[in-house]
Amino acid sequence: MAALPQQGNAEARVGGHMVVCGDDGLAHRLADELREVYRQRVVLVVTGERAAARTAEPVTAPADTTSGGTVVPVHVMTAQAPTEEALLRADVELATALALLYEDDETNLRAALVARRLSPGLRLVVRMYNRKLGQHLEEMLDQAALVHSPGMDRAVLDASTTVLSDADTAAPALAATAVAGTSKVVQADGVLLRAAERTPPGRGEVPDPGLCTLALLSSTTADPAGAEGSEASGPQGPVLLPDDRTAAGTTGRGSVVLETVRYTGPALPARRLARRGAPLRDLFSSRLRWALAGIVASVLALTLTTTALTDADPVHAAYITLLDLFSINDPAIDAPATNKVLQLLTGLVGLALLPLLVAGALEALGTFRSAGALRRPPRGLSGHVVLLGLGKVGTRVLARLRELDIPVVCVEEDPDARGIPLARNLGVPVVLGDVTDDGILEAAKIHRAHALLALTSSDTTNLEAALYARTVKADLRVAMRLYDDDFATAVYRTLRTAHPDALTRSRSVTHLAAPAFAGAMMGRQILGAIPVERKVLVFAALLVAGHPQFEGRTVSEAFRPGAWRVLAIDTASPAARRPDLASTHHDGEQPQLLWDLHPGYVLRPEDRVVIAATRRGLAELLGRQPAGSSS
């Protein structure tokens, strides 16, 4: 790898490059994405020599026959932290964009503040797991950019700082992969996009096209599992964004269609209310309620008897009955025989009810103490998803699964893992233990589960769990988180051969997240990405102005098969628009997306459209790649 030019070399400090800083696989994947898809010059700042060696590339890269250009080399430098000195060595003040992708939020926060001071107009893309902190950081850095350039265009300001989470970006796709018949989803605050995967239709059946067909899968009627096609699969792989004629003329092939666009947030408060009420109902179990009802009935019966047989009024009779019931009244030695009999009868009732009271109190105490503990999988549970790993990614996937009302059982080795509090709050059963130990998956009811979602940080652990689960239930749907693409392909083919009737999928978080981070670095708001086997479709919100592919064209004319497709138009006024399409409550107006577009509608410069695009299609829209390249 070529060494990074020193700052003193004026000829080497050309500028216009992009800087990527990170300490894990996402930084490497993003650098490759910017270099191969967007043809950007990239400076990659990594931690340690081993990380630098991992990205070693020849200085003179081979020609890229797909796009007709030459792959630009990535310059790599090492730095233990993204300090001011390290950023200056990377010529960040001359760069067009900077990505801070360290796993530690505080490290990214400090580096972002330093970078904004060094280059107020720099486009920043920050990886941050803490959503609330990320929102505040984005507002603060945008304000700093606005102070430096008061006349900055609104669209440029929206793209000046973008805070993303790789876990949030990948979680919808991972959750959808594990569930048959459940749509793949892309969510951006108040917007939820669903892409439904349809199985190949049978003979004589006509598939439902939905709103539009996003992709044709490699799966066919004869081969439901498909080839799990990647970018290099050729005609055997999936076809992204086919035209209507191709989609209608292809028979016996699975598809991904746009089905609905709906926000499910309003249903969440009811579920939270139910969760808050559940511990109170458990505290007063049915046996305890029957015991309390028996005590009240006994007191009332004895009170009425005392009132009828003595001269005491009802209140005094109830008081005397309670004293006798709890054996704290004086003996009725000088009282009439009736009072003596009533006192003995009440005392006997009290002795009979005392064990019942103690047992009920102990049961309530145990229920109260265990209310905050982790739930165990119920005995009759079936048709659920077994989720392995409650780290950053697993936590986000758990939240997505519960939003879709899908039953989940989690398996986690660390009792202090990040997702344990969320699982406890949602009332999701959790099995604590090493998934590779005997009996752990059985405790999660894997033999009655619908799917296994292995999301631990270890490829070998995920693979071992998947292989063992296959021995328990051969037709189990399995989705694994695997980083290495070659390893994932080999695993997929092996499992598909060994279990032809079962569905197996391998997903990489960095593979799913990198397109969204790359698009943000190019200055466009990315709503999310969905996997189509091992390819990716990116959803973005773009202004029509400045794009000759859209401006003045009809919706039908703007469609480029295999590259991009206009899905919707944001009908909100320009003043009320937010880059994430969230509501700003501006004069009671909320953003509205019009999805049922007429093919003859002419796109105006002031329109903002939601598009689905391949990575190379988005690159062409940004003017970074020659036309005619494939996805």
Side-chain angles (χ1 to χ4, degrees):
M1 204 63 205
L4 186 70
Q6 299 297 320
Q7 287 196 55
N9 188 347
E11 294 181 357
R13 302 184 70 219
V14 178
H17 59 288
M18 293 188 172
V19 181
V20 177
C21 302
D23 56 359
D24 65 358
L26 180 58
H28 300 266
R29 182 82 67 172
L30 177 57
D32 290 339
E33 187 87 8
L34 293 171
R35 179 194 62 176
E36 297 173 3
V37 177
Y38 296 99
R39 297 297 182 265
Q40 292 294 303
R41 291 186 298 111
V42 180
V43 173
L44 178 59
V45 182
V46 292
T47 304
E49 296 181 358
R50 292 179 60 186
R54 183 178 179 180
T55 318
E57 296 284 349
V59 176
T60 304
D64 183 1
T65 57
T66 301
S67 61
T70 302
V71 177
V72 181
V74 174
H75 295 276
V76 180
M77 58 173 283
T78 60
Q80 294 303 316
T83 60
E84 180 175 347
E85 179 184 0
L87 294 177
L88 288 174
R89 286 177 53 208
D91 290 336
V92 73
E93 74 277 18
L94 301 178
T96 59
L98 167 66
L100 298 168
L101 308 178
Y102 295 90
E103 289 190 325
D104 180 42
D105 285 358
E106 183 178 351
T107 300
N108 293 326
L109 171 61
R110 292 176 180 272
L113 295 175
V114 172
R116 181 59 83 215
R117 178 170 54 83
L118 293 176
S119 180
L122 179 68
R123 184 181 304 127
L124 289 174
V125 177
V126 185
R127 174 188 186 181
M128 192 157 289
Y129 184 83
N130 189 321
R131 296 172 175 174
K132 185 176 295 185
L133 178 61
Q135 181 179 1
H136 293 320
L137 175 65
E138 188 171 332
E139 293 173 354
M140 180 174 60
L141 294 178
D142 279 348
Q143 184 63 30
L146 192 60
V147 170
H148 176 264
S149 304
M152 182 179 295
D153 182 70
R154 174 74 182 183
V156 176
L157 178 63
D158 288 341
S160 66
T161 307
T162 305
V163 178
L164 295 174
S165 166
D166 56 329
D168 278 334
T169 303
L174 289 169
T177 302
V179 185
T182 300
S183 305
K184 297 178 180 181
V185 289
V186 177
Q187 188 170 1
D189 290 341
V191 177
L192 185 65
L193 307 176
R194 294 177 181 261
E197 185 172 324
R198 302 287 173 82
T199 57
R203 180 176 298 178
E205 295 179 353
V206 179
D208 182 5
L211 294 178
C212 68
T213 301
L214 296 177
L216 297 175
L217 301 173
S218 64
S219 58
T220 62
T221 305
D223 182 14
E228 187 73 347
S230 62
E231 300 290 345
S233 298
Q236 300 300 322
V239 179
L240 303 184
L241 301 175
D243 56 36
D244 295 338
R245 179 178 299 178
T246 301
T250 303
T251 59
R253 195 166 183 177
S255 61
V256 176
V257 301
L258 188 66
E259 190 175 50
T260 60
V261 179
R262 185 178 55 191
Y263 177 55
T264 58
L268 293 177
R271 293 202 294 269
R272 293 194 185 101
L273 182 61
R275 289 197 301 271
R276 286 196 296 267
L280 186 61
R281 293 195 300 269
D282 292 339
L283 183 63
F284 293 97
S285 65
S286 60
R287 286 180 293 182
L288 182 57
R289 289 195 293 268
W290 279 109
L292 293 176
I295 293 173
V296 172
S298 300
V299 171
L300 288 176
L302 291 171
T303 298
L304 292 175
T305 303
T306 302
T307 303
L309 298 179
T310 65
D311 297 333
D313 60 88
V315 176
H316 183 69
Y319 175 69
I320 295 299
T321 299
L322 289 174
L323 291 179
D324 291 337
L325 189 68
F326 295 110
S327 300
I328 58 177
N329 196 13
D330 293 334
I333 297 176
D334 299 330
T338 302
N339 295 64
K340 293 179 181 181
V341 172
L342 288 173
Q343 189 178 55
L344 289 174
L345 181 60
T346 304
L348 289 174
V349 173
L351 289 175
L353 293 178
L354 181 60
L356 193 60
L357 284 173
V358 174
L362 291 177
E363 181 183 5
L365 178 60
T367 303
F368 181 77
R369 293 182 62 182
S370 62
L374 295 173
R375 289 185 55 198
R376 300 290 295 178
R379 290 184 178 180
L381 182 65
S382 63
H384 58 287
V385 173
V386 177
L387 173 62
L388 309 183
L390 286 176
K392 289 183 177 180
V393 177
T395 302
R396 293 292 194 242
V397 172
L398 173 60
R400 293 294 183 269
L401 289 172
R402 292 306 300 131
E403 287 177 4
L404 297 173
D405 293 324
I406 298 169
V408 186
V409 173
C410 300
V411 178
E412 174 56 53
E413 182 179 7
D414 183 9
D416 298 322
R418 186 186 296 268
I420 292 294
L422 176 64
R424 182 184 293 112
N425 183 45
L426 294 176
V428 174
V430 177
V431 177
L432 290 176
D434 188 349
V435 68
T436 60
D437 291 344
D438 294 338
I440 296 299
L441 282 178
E442 285 80 357
K445 315 294 184 185
I446 191 66
H447 57 287
R448 290 202 297 264
H450 173 73
L452 171 69
L453 194 53
L455 301 181
T456 71
S457 57
S458 170
D459 285 3
T460 55
T461 299
N462 294 334
L463 178 58
E464 183 177 352
L467 292 175
Y468 180 76
R470 280 275 184 259
T471 64
V472 177
K473 187 177 182 181
D475 60 345
L476 181 71
R477 174 181 287 263
V478 173
M480 292 177 290
R481 173 187 177 185
L482 299 176
Y483 174 79
D484 186 82
D485 283 339
D486 294 335
F487 179 59
T489 302
V491 168
Y492 167 76
R493 290 174 178 173
T494 303
L495 289 179
R496 178 169 169 250
T497 302
H499 304 278
D501 297 330
L503 291 179
T504 304
R505 293 291 182 261
S506 58
R507 297 289 180 252
S508 167
V509 173
T510 56
H511 179 81
L512 297 175
F517 280 84
M521 290 194 73
M522 299 305 298
R524 293 298 183 269
Q525 177 61 39
I526 303 298
L527 301 180
I530 64 167
V532 179
E533 298 180 4
R534 298 197 67 79
K535 291 186 177 183
V536 174
L537 272 178
V538 182
F539 291 79
L542 300 179
L543 287 174
V544 171
H547 292 92
Q549 301 92 336
F550 296 152
E551 192 171 349
R553 297 175 180 265
T554 64
V555 171
S556 178
E557 294 170 344
F559 174 38
R560 169 93 50 94
W564 61 74
R565 181 168 190 161
V566 176
L567 302 178
I569 294 179
D570 184 7
T571 60
S573 63
R577 291 174 180 170
R578 289 269 309 270
D580 54 4
L581 299 179
S583 173
T584 58
H585 303 285
H586 181 76
D587 294 332
E589 184 180 16
Q590 297 183 355
Q592 296 179 357
L593 296 177
L594 179 62
W595 296 91
D596 190 13
L597 296 177
H598 190 280
Y601 176 81
V602 179
L603 299 175
R604 301 168 300 176
E606 62 271 20
D607 287 337
R608 182 168 68 159
V609 295
V610 175
I611 66 167
T614 63
R615 294 183 297 176
R616 297 187 187 278
L618 185 61
E620 183 178 336
L621 285 175
L622 300 179
R624 301 292 181 177
Q625 183 173 324
S629 61
S630 60
S631 64

